[in-house]
Amino acid sequence: MSPASTVTGLPTVLVINSGSSSLKYQLLVPDTGEVLASGLIEQIGEASGRINHTTGDHKYVEETRIDDHGVALAALQDQFAAYGPNLDEITITAVGHRVVHGGSSFSEPVVIDDAVLAEIEALCPLAPLHNPAAVAGIRAARERFHVPHVAVFDTAFFSGLPEAASTYAIPTELAAQHKIKKYGFHGTSHEYVSRQVATELGVPVADLNVIVFHLGNGASVSAVRGGRAIETSMGLTPLQGLVMGTRCGDIDASIYMYLHNVADLSIAEIDTLLNKQSGLKGLCGDNDFRAIDQRIRRGDTAAKRAFEVYVHRLRLYLGSYAFTLGRLDAVAFTAGVGENNPMLRAAATSGLEHFGLHLDEGRNASSTKHARVISTDHSPVKIMVVPTNEELAIARQAEELVERLRP
Ligand code: AMP
C-alpha cells in the first residue's frame, strides 16, 4: 500500500512545470484526477512577481518580488501554509517535473538523482530556453520536498519514432556528432490524448490509428499507431511543423541565411523573429486565437489570411499523416485552440467526406468540456475533441514509477 493523504485518503503528487520566468504547480490525486490546489508564479527574476494560488473555489493573488526558482519554491510552500491545503496533513508521494528535452538519454519517466539532474543539464544546448529552467526548478524542489522526484519528458513519447521519420537528410556523421534529429515535443499530451481516444471509443489502444492535433499557443500533430507514435511535426526544437501562435513552423531552411545575408539580421535576431514574432502573430499581429476569431467575424482580411495559412498547413499534415498511417480511425483535437474553436475544427476537416471524415456541425458547435465525438454516427473516421491534461498525465506517470520502485 502506498502512503495516502489525509485529505482524500489517496496518494497525492505535486506536479511542477518550471519555465524560465514562471513556475506552474498542481497538487493532485493521480487516481481520481482531483486537483487539491494549483498555482502560477510569474515574472521570476523581474522587479515584481505575481503568485496565483487556487484551492477549491478560492483564488488568491499576491504581488511580490521573486528572485529565482529557489524563492519561487519557498513562495509555493508559503501559499500552501497560508491558504491550504495544509501540506503537513498530506502525504505527497512524489513530485513530478515536466522536462521539455530528454534528448536520446530518456525515453521514459525517471527518478531524479544527481546523475539524472546532471544529464538533464547536459541537454541544455538542445533546449536552451527550457531545460535550464527545469534544472533550476528541480534543484529548488529537491531541497524542499524530501520525497522521490520524477522527471517526465516532453520528448519521451517520440523517442521510438521510426528512424526514417526522425532522421534529417543532412550528413550522417554531423547529425550523430551533434545529436541532430527529430525529437518531437508535447509528447505527454499526445500520449494522454491518444489513450483517451481509445477509452472514449471503447477500443484497445493497440487497435487504434489516430492523428492528434495539439493546438495551443505552441502546436504540434502526431500520428499514433497502436499506442506508438510514428510521426510528429516538431523537430530538433519546438519550432518545426504547424503554424503556431508566434512560431513559424516549417519554412525553407535557407530563409535563415537569406535573412542574415539580405536583411542583415544576426542569428540571435532571426531566432527571436522565428520563435517569437512569427506564426499567427507575424501574419496578423495577434497570436491569441480568440482575438483572431473575432477579427475574422468583423471581416478583417489580415486575420482571415492568417487563419487560412494556419489551416492550409494543418490540412497538409492531416493528409500526409493519414497516408503514413495507412488506415485512419480517428482525428482528435486538443489544447486551447483545438478544444475551444469550432471554426478551426470545421475548416480543418471540411470537404474530406471522400476520405471518411464527416463532421457533425451541431456536435462541433457544442461547447461542452468533456471528451466527445463531433463526427456523424456513420463517419468512418471519428473526429473528436479530447481535453488534454498534462499535469494529470505527469502525476500518474510519477506515481506509477514510484509505486513500481517501492520496496
Ligand atoms: P494553450 O497553449 O493550450 O493554453 O492555448 C492557448 C491558445 O488557445 C490561445 O491562442 C487562445 O486564444 C486559445 N484559446 C483558449 N481558450 C479559447 C476559447 N475559449 N476559444 C478560442 N480559443 C481559445
Side-chain angles (χ1 to χ4, degrees), residues 373-386:
V373 173
I374 56 168
S375 48
T376 61
D377 288 340
H378 65 269
S379 183
V381 177
K382 302 296 172 210
I383 307 170
M384 300 177 69
V385 176
V386 179

Side-chain angles (χ1 to χ4, degrees), residues 261-276:
N261 293 337
V262 174
D264 205 21
L265 296 180
S266 69
I267 297 293
E269 285 168 336
I270 299 168
D271 204 47
T272 303
L273 181 88
L274 300 182
N275 275 290
K276 304 229 166 100

Side-chain angles (χ1 to χ4, degrees), residues 226-378:
R228 298 172 68 92
I230 60 162
E231 247 302 2
T232 193
S233 57
M234 284 178 166
L236 173 79
T237 75
L239 184 59
Q240 192 184 339
L242 298 171
V243 176
M244 310 183 213
T246 62
R247 287 174 234 159
C248 58
D250 295 333
I251 54 167
D252 182 339
S254 297
I255 291 176
Y256 247 98
M257 283 75 84
Y258 191 77
L259 282 172
H260 182 64
N261 293 337
V262 174
D264 205 21
L265 296 180
S266 69
I267 297 293
E269 285 168 336
I270 299 168
D271 204 47
T272 303
L273 181 88
L274 300 182
N275 275 290
K276 304 229 166 100
Q277 294 153 5
S278 296
L280 293 167
K281 193 177 184 64
L283 289 166
C284 74
D286 266 314
N287 60 303
D288 189 311
F289 230 86
R290 282 165 290 203
I292 292 171
D293 192 319
Q294 281 169 11
R295 282 174 59 184
I296 292 171
R297 286 171 205 284
R298 290 199 302 266
D300 183 305
T301 49
K304 183 164 176 287
R305 180 168 158 272
F307 182 79
E308 284 168 359
V309 174
Y310 185 96
V311 169
H312 178 80
R313 179 84 51 84
L314 193 155
R315 286 171 66 103
L316 288 180
Y317 272 93
L318 175 58
S320 65
Y321 281 17
F323 260 59
T324 302
L325 284 167
R327 188 201 77 224
L328 181 60
D329 302 312
V331 176
F333 291 93
T334 194
V337 179
E339 291 169 31
N340 296 302
N341 198 288
M343 180 170 74
L344 178 274
R345 296 191 298 257
T349 56
S350 71
L352 299 178
E353 293 79 8
H354 187 66
F355 294 99
L357 284 84
H358 299 252
L359 189 73
D360 182 305
E361 279 177 29
R363 289 175 182 171
N364 184 37
S366 149
S367 56
T368 86
K369 295 287 169 209
H370 300 292
R372 62 192 194 278
V373 173
I374 56 168
S375 48
T376 61
D377 288 340
H378 65 269

Side-chain angles (χ1 to χ4, degrees), residues 9-10 19-20 62 68-69 76 89 122 166 186 190 204 217 243 291 322:
L10 291 167
S20 54
E62 257 179 58
D68 55 30
H69 287 75
L76 178 156
E89 293 175 359
S166 65
H186 292 145
H190 285 279
N217 211 1
V243 176

